[in-house]
Amino acid sequence: MNFHTRKWVKPEDLNPNGTLFGGSLLRWIDEEAAIYAIVQLENPHVVTKYISEINFVSSAKQGDIIEMGITATDFGNTSLTMRCEVRNKITRKSILTIDKMVFVNVDRDGNPAPHGKTQIKFIEEQFQNEDH
Ligand SMILES: CC(C)(COP(=O)(O)OP(=O)(O)OC[C@H]1O[C@@H](n2cnc3c(N)ncnc32)[C@H](O)[C@@H]1OP(=O)(O)O)[C@@H](O)C(=O)NCCC(=O)NCCS
């Protein structure tokens, strides 16, 4: 799993206990997964369909640097299933895991549309191929 996006936990991201608010983290993850799905499916029109159990493994505090990892686990006909982990960038301690996040590729009317993809596309490889 590649951990692309990092976040610096700031005061506005905290809950009243002074640790990272789960809602903030879920917002970041949903956006991260949407971007991953858009890139993989090569379509800007994707929607969150399903999120499985969310395990808040440990808390993060103000000033922590966290990183988010997403990887595709299944390419369906119109859907893309992903797995997600968030961890502390410095200590590598796990903060959250989600086994299944399903996004659906939709057409301009919001109806499910086949995406035609079957495997993970690595952007670096794409640029390397274009260079040669
Ligand atoms: C996404 C949406 C268009 C799908 O419509 P639908 O009638 O459920 O479509 P389908 O039954 O054809 O399912 C589409 C795909 O989702 C998958 N899917 C449907 N329900 C699922 C569930 N509960 N869990 C996992 N996958 C599911 C199907 O297996 C199918 O995948 P496949 O084509 O790869 O086999 C519709 O549910 C929707 O608009 N939901 C709201 C999305 C949204 O607004 N999200 C933002 C959150 S506020």
Side-chain angles (χ1 to χ4, degrees), residues 47-50 75-79 100 102 104 106 110-112 115:
V47 290
T48 316
K49 175 64 191 175
Y50 175 82
F75 287 80
N77 181 36
T78 66
S79 67
K100 249 177 116 177
V102 180
V104 174
V106 295
N111 298 314
H115 51 64

Side-chain angles (χ1 to χ4, degrees), residues 5-131:
T5 301
R6 304 154 189 187
K7 289 275 183 186
W8 192 22
V9 179
K10 301 197 196 74
E12 61 265 32
D13 309 319
L14 304 181
N15 61 35
N17 299 321
T19 57
L20 176 59
F21 179 51
S24 303
L25 187 51
L26 291 179
R27 183 191 173 98
W28 297 339
I29 289 164
D30 194 32
E31 182 172 323
E32 184 74 5
I35 293 169
Y36 185 99
I38 288 167
V39 170
Q40 290 297 324
L41 303 182
E42 297 183 277
N43 177 16
H45 307 290
V46 299
V47 290
T48 316
K49 175 64 191 175
Y50 175 82
I51 300 180
S52 73
E53 290 87 354
I54 302 161
N55 186 353
F56 290 96
V57 181
S58 68
S59 57
K61 58 183 189 314
Q62 185 175 330
D64 282 353
I65 298 167
I66 65 170
E67 54 185 5
M68 295 185 273
I70 307 258
T71 193
T73 54
D74 187 53
F75 287 80
N77 181 36
T78 66
S79 67
L80 175 66
T81 304
M82 294 160 275
R83 189 162 54 81
C84 168
E85 180 173 9
V86 178
R87 67 186 186 187
N88 183 299
K89 170 139 188 73
I90 310 297
T91 65
R92 298 277 165 101
K93 190 173 178 187
S94 186
I95 293 168
L96 167 149
T97 58
I98 302 176
D99 283 342
K100 249 177 116 177
M101 292 183 80
V102 180
F103 274 65
V104 174
N105 189 67
V106 295
D107 61 22
R108 289 185 178 276
D109 298 321
N111 298 314
H115 51 64
K117 310 292 181 195
T118 55
Q119 60 182 20
I120 297 178
K121 183 183 70 172
F122 294 99
I123 304 299
E124 292 76 10
E125 283 176 12
Q126 182 184 327
F127 283 115
Q128 277 164 13
N129 291 339
E130 284 173 6
D131 287 346

